[in-house]
Amino acid sequence: MSPKTCLLSTLPIEVAEKIFLFYLSDLRAFIHANIRQGPLFLCRISSSWRQYALAMPSLWDDLLVSYDRPSKLSFNPPISGVKTWFERAGPTRPLTLRVQGSSPRQGTPQSIIMDFQTLLAYIKASAHRFRVISVSDYFSPGDEVQAHFSNSNHIFTNLEALFLRVYGGKQSDAFPNVFRAPTSLRRLVISTSPRHSFGQPISGWERLTHLQMTSYTFTPAQFIEQLRLCPLLTVADLWIEGSEQPPLARPPVRLNHLRDLELYLQTPDLGFLASHIENLNTIMSRLHLRTTRPEARVHPQHLAPHQLGTTLRDLSLEFLELGTRDLETILEASPGLTTLILQLPCLPGSAIARMLTRSRSNPRSVRLLPALDTLTLYVYLKRERYVPEVYADMVTSRRGPKSSPLASLRDVTLAHRGNREYHYPEVERLEVLLKRQTLAGLRLYVADPSYIYSHNGPLRPPEWL
């Protein structure tokens, strides 16, 4: 195709750039050296398209280098290729680099390990250029990766987001204390294996807005003090373990920006959520609580009514010890919920379904979660007599005619857990009962036990990062 016949050549370069960026918008997290997608694909259309693409720095400021899925259509560029890619972004444009590496079954070739280490050295040498760095490394000692970022706040002067997922290493437990966050840093994700105790709260993170450290365990006292030292947090994802409670003499933490809180709880006493955190009922929109300790009981006074409020839109409670009345109290205190995820083995799924079933003869049921749009409910088949009509009634009552104020539920996931070797005709009957609703637009996903056990993941909510 010649420039004379290419319609793109008739457009101003600014318009063509917006078209190219729109094409890349869904690929941003996956842009790599692949000739069938991304900027390299645009360069192969024609010589005029190549000229346009090379003249657009915004197409070349993001790159994924993956060492775990080689393909004939893509390559893991050597350091010269990475440099060439980013040179096309110009000398001043902030860069985003994602590095992924995992060890294949037959072992990692030494050449790949050397290339990976050379790439890490390049990152440090060009530190001032990077706005976002993500490194997921499964084949190198974690200490080697972390060493490139420890005590380097003076060179990563423009870094806004750092994601480190490394495995192994003897010094991983000390990394949070030796890492000095640059003043530009806003998002920090650190994941290591094995899990470590956090140590002393860190005072140099006061500018962070996103903090995810699920590989480090905080005691309740450390958790509260770290929140106190991060007043700008909007998103937090942390692991709480131990019984050391915050001192009552300390004033409660008042967080004016926290919108998203996800906690993995390994502590039997959750009273600190109510006694040491203020004003969550006026700012928080997403709360996810998960535990594996059967004694981690959540009392309504921990969360409702003063902890939750009309701002909460997304609530997930997993494996917590709750009574039926406790759960109802928590839900009544969250009238603005649009998304609800419940994985509570302590409660029969039928009891939860009856609680959520709307009935005009019961005004209280109509007022419960009036805006609920998306529901994920785990049903434990071994713990109750499964009656599919109970769940069908719940869904139908929350659908109703489109003109009805009761019609809000649009997306339902019912995840059935049980014997994966056993056939459950009742689960199939549920899909039959709700077929009319699916034809009317309901997005219904019914997972039987065999799917749950063999595909662990699709039902989990996506990471906030």
Side-chain angles (χ1 to χ4, degrees):
M1 184 181 295
S2 66
K4 294 182 179 180
T5 60
C6 178
L7 295 178
L8 190 67
S9 62
T10 64
L11 299 176
I13 190 169
E14 295 81 5
V15 177
E17 184 176 18
K18 289 184 181 296
I19 294 175
F20 283 1
L21 290 176
F22 179 78
Y23 157 71
L24 294 175
S25 60
D26 292 337
L27 302 172
R28 269 302 179 185
F30 308 99
I31 292 179
H32 58 283
N34 189 318
I35 61 176
R36 288 193 175 179
Q37 69 177 29
L40 290 185
F41 171 73
L42 296 176
C43 290
R44 289 171 58 87
I45 300 298
S46 68
S47 59
S48 59
W49 280 51
R50 176 179 174 82
Q51 293 174 5
Y52 268 92
L54 294 179
M56 299 176 183
S58 58
L59 303 186
W60 306 94
D61 61 1
D62 195 329
L63 177 63
L64 167 65
V65 179
S66 176
Y67 290 100
D68 56 353
R69 292 182 180 178
S71 154
K72 294 182 180 179
L73 299 176
S74 62
F75 65 95
N76 301 322
I79 190 62
S80 59
V82 174
K83 290 180 179 179
T84 300
W85 186 285
F86 284 138
E87 284 173 359
R88 295 173 179 177
T92 60
R93 193 171 187 86
L95 306 177
T96 295
L97 176 63
R98 300 174 177 87
V99 184
Q100 295 180 354
S102 65
S103 178
R105 294 180 180 178
Q106 61 270 29
T108 304
Q110 188 63 28
S111 59
I112 290 183
I113 295 178
M114 294 180 62
D115 286 347
F116 182 79
Q117 293 173 345
T118 303
L119 182 60
L120 291 178
Y122 165 73
I123 292 175
K124 192 168 184 177
S126 308
H128 67 284
R129 292 290 314 276
F130 289 101
R131 179 179 61 88
V132 178
I133 296 176
S134 174
V135 178
S136 297
D137 177 22
Y138 295 79
F139 54 72
S140 298
D143 294 346
E144 295 183 8
V145 177
Q146 296 176 17
H148 286 79
F149 298 95
S150 300
N151 297 315
S152 301
N153 57 312
H154 61 288
I155 61 174
F156 288 98
T157 53
N158 296 307
L159 190 63
E160 297 179 10
L162 175 63
F163 312 116
L164 292 183
R165 294 179 174 87
V166 296
Y167 293 82
K170 299 179 179 179
Q171 303 299 322
S172 296
D173 57 337
F175 178 71
N177 294 297
V178 299
F179 172 69
R180 299 292 180 262
T183 57
S184 58
L185 194 67
R186 296 297 178 265
R187 296 187 176 196
L188 178 62
V189 177
I190 304 177
S191 177
T192 65
S193 180
R195 189 168 287 107
H196 304 282
S197 298
F198 181 67
Q200 294 299 319
I202 298 174
S203 59
W205 295 355
E206 64 275 0
R207 296 178 180 85
L208 291 182
T209 60
H210 292 62
L211 178 62
Q212 181 179 356
M213 299 185 66
T214 53
S215 56
Y216 292 85
T217 59
F218 294 72
T219 66
Q222 292 171 335
F223 166 69
I224 294 298
E225 287 307 306
Q226 191 61 63
L227 289 185
R228 198 184 305 277
L229 295 173
C230 299
L232 301 180
L233 276 185
T234 60
V235 176
D237 185 356
L238 304 171
W239 185 297
I240 313 298
E241 184 172 323
S243 57
E244 180 190 357
Q245 296 294 311
L248 294 176
R250 295 278 283 166
V253 176
R254 185 172 182 84
L255 299 171
N256 297 319
H257 305 280
L258 191 64
R259 302 290 186 271
D260 188 323
L261 179 61
E262 185 164 348
L263 300 178
Y264 200 110
L265 301 162
Q266 295 282 64
T267 176
D269 187 359
L270 307 183
F272 65 92
L273 293 176
S275 61
H276 285 81
I277 302 180
E278 286 186 350
N279 76 315
L280 287 182
N281 61 325
T282 61
I283 60 172
M284 190 166 56
S285 60
R286 179 178 181 267
L287 175 64
H288 282 212
L289 300 178
R290 177 182 172 88
T291 186
T292 57
R293 295 187 63 148
E295 66 271 29
R297 182 175 180 83
V298 177
H299 296 283
Q301 60 265 30
H302 294 160
L303 300 177
H306 58 290
Q307 287 296 102
L308 306 182
T310 57
T311 61
L312 191 66
R313 297 291 180 267
D314 185 335
L315 175 64
S316 176
L317 303 175
E318 300 185 57
F319 301 108
L320 300 173
E321 187 68 24
L322 279 172
T324 305
R325 181 55 189 159
D326 296 338
L327 177 61
E328 189 171 9
T329 302
I330 292 173
L331 297 182
E332 286 178 342
S334 314
L337 276 185
T338 59
T339 301
L340 178 63
I341 300 173
L342 296 176
Q343 188 171 4
L344 302 172
C346 61
L347 290 179
S350 57
I352 298 176
R354 290 188 178 95
M355 180 193 308
L356 297 177
T357 301
R358 283 170 165 170
S359 172
R360 293 185 181 275
S361 61
N362 183 1
R364 186 175 184 177
S365 69
V366 176
R367 293 194 300 267
L368 187 66
L369 304 184
L372 186 63
D373 175 271
T374 303
L375 172 65
T376 298
L377 177 61
Y378 285 76
V379 181
Y380 291 82
L381 298 171
K382 293 183 178 180
R383 304 192 180 191
E384 63 176 289
R385 179 176 174 270
Y386 186 75
V387 181
E389 286 78 7
V390 173
Y391 299 92
D393 290 344
M394 173 194 68
V395 174
T396 304
S397 70
R398 289 188 165 269
R399 292 280 297 170
K402 294 183 179 180
S403 59
S404 170
L406 302 182
S408 62
L409 197 60
R410 296 189 301 173
D411 197 322
V412 177
T413 297
L414 295 173
H416 298 81
R417 288 187 176 271
N419 187 345
R420 54 180 169 174
E421 306 297 335
Y422 181 74
H423 178 64
Y424 292 92
E426 303 92 336
V427 175
E428 296 179 357
R429 175 166 170 73
L430 176 61
E431 294 185 274
V432 174
L433 292 173
L434 292 175
K435 185 173 183 179
R436 178 177 297 180
Q437 295 297 332
T438 57
L439 293 175
L442 173 69
R443 293 190 295 270
L444 176 67
Y445 178 61
V446 178
D448 60 32
S450 62
Y451 187 87
I452 293 293
Y453 281 90
S454 61
H455 301 78
N456 185 19
L459 299 177
R460 298 284 299 126
E463 293 185 10
W464 49 265
L465 289 174

